[in-house]
Amino acid sequence: PVGAYSSADPAAVTPGSGNLLTREGLTSFRDGFVKKFGSGHFLGGTIYSASATVKVPIKGDDRHSQTWYYNGGFGSEPTNGGRNEDESVADLSSVNVNALMDALKRAPDELGVNNVVLTFVLFERRNRGLCMSVYVSDARGHIGYWTMKLDGTTVTKFAYN
């Protein structure tokens, strides 16, 4: 769902400008997020090369959240949803970008998935904390993933072979 981008929106930039799974792309996403929401606080999300969805807590409301779509900016309206009482808030600034970049680069070899056609990063709650997982898959549906804590410490790897 690509919304209209208003020049009045301070977080709006040119849609689709850059690969979000690069250091520059992640930095641009993080900076746009902080500009839009006033902090890096988030509950989870998924980042693809050209777009992302991110679940954001609502200030003063521990029972609800909003899911925002990002395509170079946060121009579309969010989807409102519930929030689990044990869902912890993390900060984008706590993501070890060096470890994430290393995992994105090494994932195909480490996970035994050749000729990768899809790569994405999933931020989700595991064991009462947020983790990040690099997923890779090929055209035949062979999938592998590498899950880390936000500081880059490996939690688990699932290799295809």
Side-chain angles (χ1 to χ4, degrees):
V2 177
Y5 287 84
S6 165
S7 59
D9 181 355
V13 295
T14 305
S17 58
N19 182 345
L20 296 177
L21 297 178
T22 63
R23 181 178 308 282
E24 295 78 18
L26 284 170
T27 300
S28 177
F29 170 74
R30 183 196 63 220
D31 292 350
F33 185 96
V34 170
K35 190 177 225 180
K36 174 75 174 176
F37 301 106
S39 77
H41 296 160
F42 75 115
L43 299 166
T46 307
I47 300 177
Y48 297 93
S49 62
S51 65
T53 57
V54 62
K55 188 174 179 182
V56 180
I58 297 173
K59 281 186 181 179
D61 187 349
D62 292 340
R63 297 179 58 197
H64 297 94
S65 64
Q66 293 181 323
T67 300
W68 288 82
Y69 178 76
Y70 179 88
N71 181 16
F74 292 98
S76 60
E77 290 299 313
T79 302
N80 295 313
R83 179 174 163 191
N84 297 328
E85 63 185 48
D86 63 343
E87 207 165 10
S88 58
V89 175
D91 195 304
L92 284 171
S93 67
S94 64
V95 173
N96 183 332
V97 176
N98 290 331
L100 182 55
M101 290 297 103
D102 185 55
L104 284 163
K105 180 180 176 182
R106 294 177 36 214
D109 290 335
E110 291 272 334
L111 304 173
V113 178
N114 299 314
N115 303 315
V116 171
V117 297
L118 178 64
T119 300
F120 63 93
V121 178
L122 177 66
F123 291 91
E124 65 183 340
R125 186 174 39 127
R126 290 204 181 174
N127 299 326
R128 297 197 177 271
L130 213 58
C131 288
M132 55 187 176
S133 298
V134 173
Y135 281 78
V136 291
S137 66
D138 64 18
R140 295 177 35 189
H142 303 145
I143 298 172
Y145 62 86
W146 182 344
T147 301
M148 299 164 279
K149 294 180 181 178
L150 296 183
D151 68 6
T153 305
T154 296
V155 175
T156 188
K157 290 181 186 175
F158 174 79
Y160 168 72
N161 49 356

